[in-house]
Amino acid sequence: MHKPMPPLRALVAFEAAVRHASFKQAAEELHLTPGAVSQQVQKLEHWLGYPLFVRQVRQLQVTERGMSYFSRIAPALEQISAASEACRETSPDRVSLSLSQTLAAKWLGPRLGDFVSRHPDIEVHINASNHPVDFQREAVDLAIRHFDGRDPSLEVQEVFDDEVRLFCAPAYGDAMALQHPDRLSGVTLIVATPYPFWDDWLSRFTTLAPAVSKRIPALYFDQTLLAIDAAKRGQGVVLSNHLLVQEELERGELIEPFGLSLPLDKSYYLVHPRRQPLSRSAGTLKDWLLDQFAKSGMRATT
């Protein structure tokens, strides 16, 4: 059964008027005249059967019922806007990839030139963010996510089974005589917000008392990228994984003094919406990414 709909243009005008508390500012946003916005709101008031605003000289105040109505329709309008933006037609030769800032800089960046040289016709857009992409709201085709791999809305393919390892600069390891994990009592711990596992690592691989471990000085960084750079500069020892320090290990800028790994319940996955077919360009980038993970010695499963 078809349900009666309110005038949709009036909903947009009302929502903007509430946000701005002004017909004039709402009109500027919507490229209308203040009178046109007022007329649209009046249409909605007539449809609802009650006033939405108290109109005073140079002041516009939303009524209690108007605010209640606004709180119910605003999320729906935002969802319509976001979904429509995500579904806008884009060039078939354009592809957007979302991944963390550190992974973009440390792993993808050095390799991306290979993809561009192989596929100069494909326009690649990188969305480097530490927040998981919302495929419903953002125009993103593919993402590399660090999570448990469980999301029924996504097509998920594991590319790296994550584990925590300890790294430091060679000179720092020599200066601190890091022949045994218990020697960490004399170092500086470099703590990256995405890898807050020092307590677990120390309790599993050392015999240090908890009171001793808590006295170890530490540096804190909100990005793993910065924490790795601090370790390269000999400022302490850092927890990360081979995926993010591969180049530093190959160049001898970092070493792994103990060869000990702490398994995690999260991995890196290449994901995209299950019910949305990939474009040709997105499919090409996906195949290339899987190939690059395989070539770099990381595990890619099917």
Side-chain angles (χ1 to χ4, degrees):
M1 179 179 178
H2 176 71
K3 296 182 179 180
M5 292 286 291
L8 298 183
R9 291 182 61 188
L11 288 180
V12 175
F14 167 65
E15 189 272 343
V18 173
R19 279 192 291 107
H20 293 289
S22 165
F23 284 158
K24 181 180 179 180
Q25 293 182 33
E28 292 175 356
E29 177 183 309
L30 300 174
H31 304 290
L32 298 172
T33 65
V37 172
S38 179
Q39 289 177 6
Q40 290 294 330
V41 171
Q42 287 176 6
K43 288 181 181 180
L44 184 58
E45 289 175 323
H46 178 74
W47 192 91
L48 291 168
Y50 54 83
L52 297 169
F53 292 99
V54 177
R55 294 163 174 82
Q56 301 174 345
V57 178
R58 297 183 180 179
Q59 185 177 7
L60 187 66
Q61 183 177 351
V62 65
T63 65
E64 184 176 343
R65 295 185 73 181
M67 183 56 69
S68 175
Y69 184 60
F70 172 82
S71 66
R72 298 180 71 174
I73 68 164
L77 290 174
E78 172 62 24
Q79 186 176 2
I80 291 171
S81 175
S84 299
E85 179 64 26
C87 293
R88 287 176 66 181
E89 183 176 357
T90 57
S91 168
D93 296 327
R94 180 187 185 280
V95 59
S96 178
L97 171 68
S98 174
L99 70 169
S100 72
Q101 295 170 348
T102 300
L103 191 61
K106 305 299 295 180
W107 186 84
L108 180 65
R111 296 169 171 81
L112 195 55
D114 176 77
F115 181 84
V116 174
S117 64
R118 290 171 181 265
H119 306 283
D121 57 318
I122 297 180
E123 182 181 309
V124 181
H125 291 253
I126 303 301
N127 175 14
S129 172
N130 291 333
H131 300 287
V133 64
D134 186 338
F135 285 103
Q136 296 296 322
R137 295 176 176 269
E138 302 173 60
V140 172
D141 301 290
L142 297 165
I144 300 175
R145 283 185 58 185
H146 186 247
F147 72 129
D148 61 11
R150 292 193 285 267
D151 189 330
S153 69
L154 298 178
E155 192 72 34
V156 174
Q157 191 157 3
E158 186 184 60
V159 292
F160 180 68
D161 190 10
D162 201 11
E163 57 186 6
V164 173
R165 293 178 174 269
L166 184 147
F167 304 96
C168 67
Y172 189 85
D174 290 341
M176 297 297 170
L178 296 182
Q179 287 88 24
H180 189 277
D182 282 353
R183 295 288 299 178
L184 293 176
S185 60
V187 307
T188 297
L189 306 180
I190 300 175
V191 184
T193 299
Y195 282 87
F197 304 112
W198 271 115
D199 288 344
D200 294 335
W201 204 96
L202 292 171
S203 65
R204 174 172 293 197
F205 297 120
T206 75
T207 61
L208 300 176
V212 174
S213 297
K214 289 185 180 300
R215 289 197 297 268
I216 303 175
L219 292 172
Y220 295 85
F221 295 91
D222 64 350
Q223 295 185 33
T224 309
L225 177 68
L226 300 176
I228 292 171
D229 187 66
K232 284 168 52 179
R233 298 175 185 275
Q235 296 176 2
V237 294
V238 68
L239 293 181
S240 183
N241 59 43
H242 280 152
L243 183 67
L244 301 179
V245 300
Q246 192 171 19
E247 284 202 323
E248 285 80 4
L249 292 173
E250 292 173 354
R251 293 195 296 256
E253 296 172 332
L254 290 177
I255 61 170
E256 187 180 1
F258 308 127
L260 300 171
S261 66
L262 180 69
L264 297 180
D265 58 1
K266 295 182 179 180
S267 299
Y268 287 90
Y269 293 88
L270 184 59
V271 304
H272 56 87
R274 185 180 296 275
R275 296 180 180 178
Q276 183 175 324
L278 289 177
S279 66
R280 178 191 64 85
S281 297
T284 300
L285 179 59
K286 177 181 179 179
D287 291 341
W288 178 84
L289 287 167
L290 293 175
D291 183 60
Q292 290 299 309
F293 275 106
K295 285 182 178 178
S296 60
M298 306 306 165
R299 189 177 80 181
T301 61
T302 56

Coordinates of all heavy atoms in Angstrom, one line a residue, residues 2 18 22 36 40 74-75 86 91-92 95 122 130 138 156 162 172 184 189 191 207 215 225 286 289 291 295-296:
H2 N 0.6 2.2 -0.9 CA 1.4 3.4 -1.0 C 1.1 4.3 0.1 O 0.0 4.6 0.4 CB 1.1 4.1 -2.4 CG 1.8 5.4 -2.5 ND1 3.2 5.5 -2.7 CD2 1.3 6.7 -2.5 CE1 3.5 6.8 -2.8 NE2 2.4 7.5 -2.6
V18 N 16.4 24.7 10.0 CA 16.7 24.3 11.4 C 18.1 24.4 11.7 O 18.6 24.9 12.7 CB 16.1 22.9 11.7 CG1 16.6 22.5 13.1 CG2 14.6 22.9 11.6
S22 N 17.8 30.1 10.3 CA 17.6 31.3 9.5 C 17.1 30.9 8.1 O 17.7 30.0 7.5 CB 18.9 32.0 9.4 OG 18.9 33.0 8.3
A36 N 11.2 31.8 -0.9 CA 10.9 30.5 -1.4 C 11.1 29.4 -0.3 O 10.3 28.5 -0.2 CB 11.9 30.2 -2.6
Q40 N 8.2 26.9 1.2 CA 8.4 25.4 1.3 C 8.1 25.0 2.7 O 7.4 23.9 2.9 CB 9.8 25.0 0.9 CG 10.1 25.2 -0.6 CD 9.2 24.3 -1.5 OE1 8.9 23.2 -1.0 NE2 8.9 24.7 -2.7
A74 N 16.2 14.1 10.0 CA 17.6 14.5 9.6 C 18.5 13.3 9.3 O 19.2 13.4 8.3 CB 18.2 15.4 10.7
P75 N 18.5 12.3 10.1 CA 19.3 11.1 9.8 C 19.0 10.5 8.4 O 19.8 10.0 7.7 CB 19.1 10.2 11.0 CG 18.7 11.0 12.1 CD 17.8 12.1 11.4
A86 N 27.6 8.2 -3.0 CA 28.4 7.0 -3.2 C 28.0 6.3 -4.5 O 28.8 5.6 -5.1 CB 28.2 6.0 -2.0
S91 N 33.8 7.8 -13.6 CA 34.5 7.3 -14.8 C 34.8 5.8 -14.6 O 35.3 5.4 -13.5 CB 35.8 8.1 -15.0 OG 36.6 7.4 -16.0
P92 N 34.6 5.0 -15.6 CA 35.0 3.5 -15.5 C 36.5 3.3 -15.3 O 36.9 2.2 -14.9 CB 34.4 2.9 -16.8 CG 34.4 4.1 -17.7 CD 34.0 5.3 -16.9
V95 N 39.4 4.5 -9.9 CA 39.3 3.5 -8.8 C 39.8 4.2 -7.6 O 40.8 4.9 -7.6 CB 40.0 2.2 -9.1 CG1 41.5 2.5 -9.3 CG2 39.8 1.2 -8.0
I122 N 44.2 4.0 -16.0 CA 43.4 3.9 -14.8 C 43.8 5.1 -13.8 O 45.0 5.2 -13.5 CB 43.5 2.6 -14.1 CG1 43.0 1.5 -15.0 CG2 42.8 2.6 -12.8 CD1 43.1 0.1 -14.4
N130 N 42.9 6.5 9.0 CA 42.9 5.5 10.0 C 41.6 5.0 10.5 O 41.5 4.2 11.4 CB 43.8 6.0 11.2 CG 45.2 6.2 10.9 OD1 45.7 5.5 10.0 ND2 45.9 7.1 11.5
E138 N 30.8 6.6 1.4 CA 32.0 7.1 0.7 C 32.1 6.4 -0.6 O 31.8 5.2 -0.8 CB 33.2 6.9 1.6 CG 33.2 7.6 2.9 CD 34.4 7.2 3.8 OE1 35.5 7.5 3.4 OE2 34.2 6.6 4.9
V156 N 35.6 -10.5 1.5 CA 36.8 -10.4 2.4 C 37.9 -11.4 1.9 O 37.6 -12.6 1.7 CB 36.4 -10.7 3.8 CG1 37.7 -10.7 4.7 CG2 35.5 -9.7 4.4
D162 N 48.3 -10.9 10.8 CA 49.1 -10.0 11.6 C 49.7 -10.6 12.8 O 49.0 -11.5 13.4 CB 48.3 -8.7 11.9 CG 49.2 -7.5 12.3 OD1 50.4 -7.6 12.1 OD2 48.6 -6.5 12.8
Y172 N 71.2 0.8 18.3 CA 70.5 0.8 19.6 C 70.6 -0.5 20.2 O 70.8 -0.7 21.4 CB 69.1 1.3 19.4 CG 68.4 1.6 20.6 CD1 68.5 2.8 21.3 CD2 67.5 0.6 21.2 CE1 67.8 3.1 22.5 CE2 66.9 0.9 22.4 CZ 67.0 2.1 23.0 OH 66.3 2.3 24.2
L184 N 65.2 -5.6 28.2 CA 64.3 -4.5 27.8 C 64.1 -3.6 29.1 O 63.5 -2.5 28.9 CB 63.0 -5.0 27.3 CG 63.1 -5.7 25.9 CD1 61.7 -6.3 25.6 CD2 63.5 -4.7 24.9
L189 N 60.6 2.2 25.5 CA 59.5 1.6 24.7 C 58.9 2.6 23.9 O 58.5 3.7 24.3 CB 58.5 0.9 25.6 CG 59.0 -0.1 26.7 CD1 57.8 -0.7 27.5 CD2 59.8 -1.2 26.0
V191 N 55.6 3.4 21.8 CA 54.3 2.9 21.9 C 53.5 3.6 20.7 O 53.3 4.8 20.7 CB 53.6 3.1 23.2 CG1 52.2 2.5 23.2 CG2 54.4 2.6 24.4
T207 N 60.8 -12.2 31.9 CA 60.6 -12.6 33.3 C 60.5 -11.4 34.2 O 60.6 -11.5 35.5 CB 61.7 -13.6 33.8 OG1 63.0 -12.9 33.8 CG2 61.7 -14.9 33.0
R215 N 57.9 0.6 35.1 CA 58.9 1.7 35.3 C 59.7 1.9 34.0 O 60.5 2.9 34.0 CB 59.9 1.4 36.5 CG 59.2 1.4 37.8 CD 60.2 1.5 39.0 NE 61.0 0.3 39.0 CZ 60.8 -0.7 39.8 NH1 59.7 -0.7 40.5 NH2 61.6 -1.7 39.8
L225 N 53.5 5.0 11.8 CA 54.5 5.6 10.9 C 55.5 6.4 11.7 O 56.7 6.3 11.5 CB 53.8 6.5 9.9 CG 54.7 7.3 8.9 CD1 55.4 6.3 8.0 CD2 53.8 8.3 8.1
K286 N 42.5 -4.7 -7.7 CA 42.5 -5.8 -6.7 C 43.5 -6.9 -7.1 O 44.2 -7.4 -6.2 CB 41.1 -6.4 -6.7 CG 40.9 -7.6 -5.7 CD 39.5 -8.1 -5.7 CE 39.4 -9.3 -4.8 NZ 38.0 -9.9 -4.7
L289 N 47.0 -5.8 -6.3 CA 47.3 -5.7 -4.9 C 47.6 -7.1 -4.4 O 48.5 -7.4 -3.6 CB 46.1 -5.1 -4.1 CG 45.9 -3.6 -4.3 CD1 44.6 -3.2 -3.7 CD2 47.1 -2.9 -3.5
D291 N 48.7 -9.6 -6.0 CA 50.0 -10.1 -6.6 C 51.1 -9.4 -5.8 O 52.1 -10.1 -5.5 CB 50.0 -9.7 -8.0 CG 51.3 -10.2 -8.7 OD1 51.6 -11.4 -8.7 OD2 52.1 -9.3 -9.2
K295 N 54.1 -11.2 -3.8 CA 55.5 -11.0 -4.2 C 56.4 -10.5 -3.0 O 57.6 -10.7 -2.9 CB 55.6 -10.0 -5.3 CG 55.2 -10.5 -6.6 CD 55.4 -9.4 -7.7 CE 55.1 -10.0 -9.1 NZ 55.2 -9.0 -10.2
S296 N 55.7 -9.8 -2.1 CA 56.4 -9.2 -0.9 C 56.6 -10.2 0.2 O 57.0 -9.9 1.3 CB 55.8 -7.9 -0.4 OG 54.5 -8.2 0.0

